Amino acid sequence: MTSRPDALAELSAAGVAVWLDDISRERLTSGNLAALIRDRHVVGVTSNPTIFDHALSHGDAYSEQLSELALRGVSVGEASRDITTYDVRWACDVLRPVYDATGGQDGRVSLEVDPRLAGDTAKTIAEARALWWMVDRPNLFIKIPATPAGLPAITQCLSEGISVNVTLIFSLERYGEVIDAFFAGLEQASQAGHDLASLASVASFFVSRVDTEVDSRLDKIGTPEAAELRGKAALANARLAYELYEKKFGTDRWQALQRAGAKPQRPLWASTSTKDPAYPDTMYVVELVAPGVVNTMPEATILAVADHGKVRGDTVRGTYEQSRKVFQDLEAIGISYDDVVTVLEQEGVSKFAASWQELLETIEAELTRE
């Protein structure tokens, strides 16, 4: 009997960095994160407010730290920074060997700026600086949303030598602006004397939420033509994002930065667990394989890929015309791409802001109880 191929190893060999979309004190204390790195080819970690709120709401892994914070009488805002930076700093240390082995390409851990600041450039920059200083690890990413106010914050943080994970990207137009903000940040960093080789960035392009929004609109239309388009928009959007990545990182502007030691800003596929049970649970992984990308997955998706994922090599390049046709067909039956991505960006910021508020309320309740 032949053994099943290691799909996660195949994914890595095809140029896809496998990252875990989760963090908790329990994962760290139990050695679970270290085991995923050792056994499941995990080379990075992302976090968000929803993940931290879930971690604090389950189990008692944070009890000791909460007791100490309550004794010190710290504010809820300070407590949230202390708790989240503690976990992220620890995860950075667990992943440091990966960071060193890959020359800083992987081994990264992401920590998000308070999403309630997404509309305020100056506050986003100030918070990013504070988090960068608090964690104090070279393999940290500061997550900044790709809102209009976030774009200049991305450039400014990179110019100061802060590595950035740009989050909540839904539209191709916004993604182009994100890449331009990245280029500008590196150019300014170079002028300021920073070592570009030590700077890194990823651009987190959200996947499954596109299908969730588009499919709900298709279901309301209810025609056979609409049904035929279900589950196609998210992959098409991500694949066209990769086409844009190839174009932008083939320009003279990028090549000048590359000569100065810069690494490309890799596309990162986020929100890659399927939300519709009708779709294969590995769809947003095996259908988005291309060189030089990151796929950040919940543990359940990582395990699903390991168990039954079929990696078929590059499933992105060569699909661009077919992907454009998906959006032409959607427009033809009355679904506006621009409206879909605008709704998704607004909802994305609102959802993370609500999760952050829930996190603060959870911490406040725990501090009061201690």
Side-chain angles (χ1 to χ4, degrees):
M1 181 177 173
T2 56
S3 61
R4 177 182 151 65
D6 184 342
L8 293 166
E10 292 178 341
L11 208 57
S12 302
V16 180
V18 177
W19 288 13
L20 172 68
D21 190 28
D22 194 49
I23 193 170
S24 70
R25 190 75 49 89
E26 188 177 346
R27 279 194 189 280
L28 294 160
T29 55
S30 68
N32 169 268
L33 176 58
L36 289 170
I37 295 165
R38 183 186 67 239
D39 302 332
R40 301 297 185 182
H41 303 276
V42 168
V43 293
V45 168
T46 50
S47 68
N48 62 46
T50 306
I51 284 168
F52 274 115
D53 183 47
H54 183 268
L56 261 109
S57 303
H58 294 78
D60 55 4
Y62 296 89
S63 297
E64 185 179 343
Q65 187 179 16
L66 284 161
S67 295
E68 291 180 1
L69 292 168
L71 284 170
R72 287 170 51 208
V74 304
S75 69
V76 174
E78 185 182 344
S80 71
R81 288 190 195 93
D82 285 351
I83 290 166
T84 56
T85 56
Y86 187 101
D87 281 3
V88 167
R89 189 182 305 112
W90 189 345
C92 281
D93 290 343
V94 174
L95 277 153
R96 183 60 188 264
V98 175
Y99 172 82
D100 292 337
T102 60
Q105 174 92 324
D106 285 303
R108 298 274 177 172
V109 184
S110 297
L111 176 61
E112 187 152 353
V113 167
D114 181 343
R116 297 173 303 172
L117 307 178
D120 190 315
T121 303
K123 287 182 179 178
T124 294
I125 294 167
E127 187 70 9
R129 287 172 180 150
L131 294 173
W132 184 255
W133 175 83
M134 286 181 78
V135 174
D136 192 26
R137 296 293 187 272
N139 51 331
L140 174 68
F141 270 141
I142 298 296
K143 283 180 88 170
I144 298 174
T147 56
L151 294 169
I154 291 157
T155 295
Q156 182 61 35
C157 288
L158 286 164
S159 79
E160 296 177 16
I162 297 171
S163 292
V164 176
N165 175 342
V166 184
T167 190
L168 286 172
I169 307 171
F170 294 97
S171 78
L172 296 168
E173 181 182 7
R174 179 74 80 232
Y175 180 39
E177 293 170 346
V178 165
I179 296 173
D180 289 341
F182 169 71
F183 288 165
L186 290 192
E187 288 159 354
Q188 292 172 29
S190 182
Q191 289 162 11
H194 289 288
D195 176 15
L196 295 191
S198 68
L199 263 175
S201 182
V202 291
S204 295
F205 210 85
F206 278 52
V207 182
S208 67
R209 293 189 194 184
V210 175
D211 274 343
T212 301
E213 179 65 25
V214 170
D215 286 357
S216 71
R217 298 184 186 206
L218 289 168
D219 292 345
K220 283 175 188 164
I221 294 170
T223 62
E225 292 83 1
E228 187 64 28
L229 288 165
R230 289 186 96 261
K232 292 185 176 176
L235 292 175
N237 200 37
R239 286 164 171 168
L240 291 174
Y242 192 83
E243 180 189 37
L244 183 57
Y245 161 76
E246 287 186 308
K247 285 180 181 174
K248 287 274 194 177
F249 284 86
T251 59
D252 292 342
R253 186 181 185 187
W254 166 246
Q255 284 162 7
L257 286 164
Q258 196 171 35
R259 285 192 295 273
K263 298 185 187 77
Q265 180 189 54
R266 287 183 293 172
L268 179 151
W269 311 133
S271 183
T272 56
S273 60
T274 48
K275 308 299 186 283
D276 188 329
Y279 301 149
D281 55 2
T282 63
M283 180 169 86
Y284 300 126
V285 180
V286 299
E287 298 296 340
L288 290 175
V289 175
V293 302
V294 178
N295 196 309
T296 184
M297 307 171 232
E299 186 175 10
T301 304
I302 291 173
L303 297 178
V305 173
D307 180 66
H308 51 266
K310 291 183 173 62
V311 179
R312 311 186 311 280
D314 189 333
T315 48
V316 172
R317 292 181 295 185
T319 67
Y320 304 145
E321 290 310 315
Q322 178 187 344
S323 297
R324 267 187 278 280
K325 187 174 187 311
V326 169
F327 291 108
Q328 290 164 4
D329 291 346
L330 286 168
E331 294 280 349
I333 62 170
I335 294 179
S336 161
Y337 175 81
D338 290 341
D339 185 62
V340 166
V341 294
T342 299
V343 166
L344 286 169
E345 182 179 300
Q346 292 168 349
E347 278 185 358
V349 172
S350 297
K351 284 176 181 174
F352 275 172
S355 290
W356 191 264
Q357 189 59 43
E358 287 171 18
L359 172 63
L360 295 180
E361 288 167 6
T362 299
I363 292 171
E364 186 170 32
E366 292 294 332
L367 291 174
T368 307
R369 188 178 298 130
E370 295 297 337

